[in-house]
Amino acid sequence: MTQRLGVNVDHVATLRQARKAHYPDPVTAAALAELAGAGQITIHLREDRRHIQDRDLRVLRETCQTQLNLEMAATQEMVKVAYEYKPDMATLVPERREELTTEGGLDVASQRDAITKIVKNLKDGEIVVSLFVDPDLDQVRACHKVNADRVELHTGRYCEGRNARERARELGRVVDAAKAAAKLGMGVAAGHGLNYENVGPVARIAEIDELNIGHAIVARAVLVGFERAVREMLDLMRP
Ligand code: PXP
């Protein structure tokens, strides 16, 4: 089974916001990604609105033909936004203003009560809830305890491995976490730092049914076009 490819279009908005212009439009990029075979559009509406804007979420909610995954901080303010726009899925991520991108996974284990409440709020609104966590067994168990539907495993460490040995060790962690999550009945996604060189081994993990990829696809799209960039990634994900 080929995994679903969630294309993260945040960095199309990054380019637009660099000039505070109205182009390039992440909504157009999302449509092209879907035409090329993406199974999901992922956006992160950050508290500082540095790339994706509320308008993008509103328009994508109307135009997205596959499913819309909203990455969001685990706050009541963002729960309100999710209730207003009703994405198909919400992925809770940690968020710090000074970071360049989402740096680590959400620490679910140490904030179980607060996250349980937010997961319940979202699920009551019929939004599927995924938690973005490091590939760590305690975190995966904590995701189950707070009633998450899914986990998204952070592949950053695997992607940043300096040599084959480090990458193999980190990949092993992703495999173990994926198996544990699946055994607990949760759906399993993975993402962060995946690119055309390193996606293969993660795409072959049977328990993982979805990959969310942004920077590498948008970077290639600048040079070869969005549809081709998405198709080339899908080709690499095929078993
Ligand atoms: N998944 C999550 C939860 C993320 O926060 C990000 C980055 O926004 C991605 C996937 C995509 O990461 P990248 O842009 O490195 O492909």
Side-chain angles (χ1 to χ4, degrees), residues 8 10-11 71 93 101-102 132 152 191-194 212-215:
N8 180 319
D10 291 354
H11 293 307
E71 293 177 6
V93 300
T101 178
T102 315
F132 183 54
E152 179 173 338
H192 209 284
L194 294 172
N212 286 299
I213 308 181
H215 186 264

Side-chain angles (χ1 to χ4, degrees), residues 4 40 67 69 88-92 119 123 128-133 140 143-144 146-153 181 185-190 207-212:
R4 170 171 61 234
Q40 170 166 289
Q67 54 178 51
N69 173 27
D88 300 284
M89 176 156 74
T91 300
L92 301 184
V119 170
K123 287 174 77 165
V128 172
V129 183
S130 180
L131 303 182
F132 183 54
V133 290
V140 168
C143 291
H144 179 61
V146 302
N147 294 319
D149 299 299
R150 304 177 52 81
V151 294
E152 179 173 338
L153 300 173
M186 294 183 287
V188 192
E207 288 78 9
I208 295 181
D209 64 13
E210 170 192 311
L211 299 183
N212 286 299

Side-chain angles (χ1 to χ4, degrees), residues 24-205:
D25 193 338
V27 176
T28 311
L32 292 171
E34 289 183 322
L35 285 173
Q40 170 166 289
I41 300 302
T42 295
I43 51 173
H44 185 176
L45 186 68
R46 295 184 76 102
E47 188 199 5
D48 62 11
R49 305 298 196 264
R50 70 170 71 154
H51 40 50
I52 291 293
Q53 306 295 305
D54 297 63
R55 167 268 179 201
D56 302 326
L57 171 57
R58 177 169 48 78
V59 179
L60 274 170
R61 177 59 298 177
E62 282 186 20
T63 57
C64 180
Q65 305 285 308
T66 54
Q67 54 178 51
L68 184 61
N69 173 27
L70 175 65
E71 293 177 6
M72 53 178 262
T75 63
Q76 285 300 337
E77 187 197 330
M78 283 308 302
V79 170
K80 272 195 212 134
V81 173
Y83 259 79
E84 188 174 347
Y85 296 108
K86 290 287 170 88
D88 300 284
M89 176 156 74
T91 300
L92 301 184
V93 300
E95 204 175 291
R96 280 186 292 126
R97 269 178 182 260
E98 62 278 16
E99 68 193 357
L100 272 182
T101 178
T102 315
E103 281 164 9
L106 192 65
D107 186 357
V108 182
S110 77
Q111 1 170 19
R112 261 174 55 184
D113 291 350
I115 293 181
T116 302
K117 197 166 156 206
I118 287 181
V119 170
K120 182 174 185 313
N121 290 158
L122 290 166
K123 287 174 77 165
D124 285 349
E126 293 181 357
I127 299 167
V128 172
V129 183
S130 180
L131 303 182
F132 183 54
V133 290
D134 290 331
D136 172 284
L137 296 182
D138 287 340
Q139 293 293 346
V140 168
R141 285 188 207 105
C143 291
H144 179 61
K145 293 226 169 74
V146 302
N147 294 319
D149 299 299
R150 304 177 52 81
V151 294
E152 179 173 338
L153 300 173
H154 194 314
T155 47
R157 282 239 179 117
Y158 156 70
C159 297
E160 284 157 18
R162 280 168 303 180
N163 51 48
R165 216 169 117 188
E166 272 185 27
R167 283 191 292 277
R169 188 188 62 212
E170 295 302 331
L171 185 68
R173 292 203 170 119
V174 176
V175 170
D176 291 347
K179 283 189 193 309
K183 215 167 159 191
L184 289 166
M186 294 183 287
V188 192
H192 209 284
L194 294 172
N195 62 31
Y196 295 82
E197 281 74 48
N198 63 25
V199 73
V202 181
R204 287 192 283 280
I205 301 173

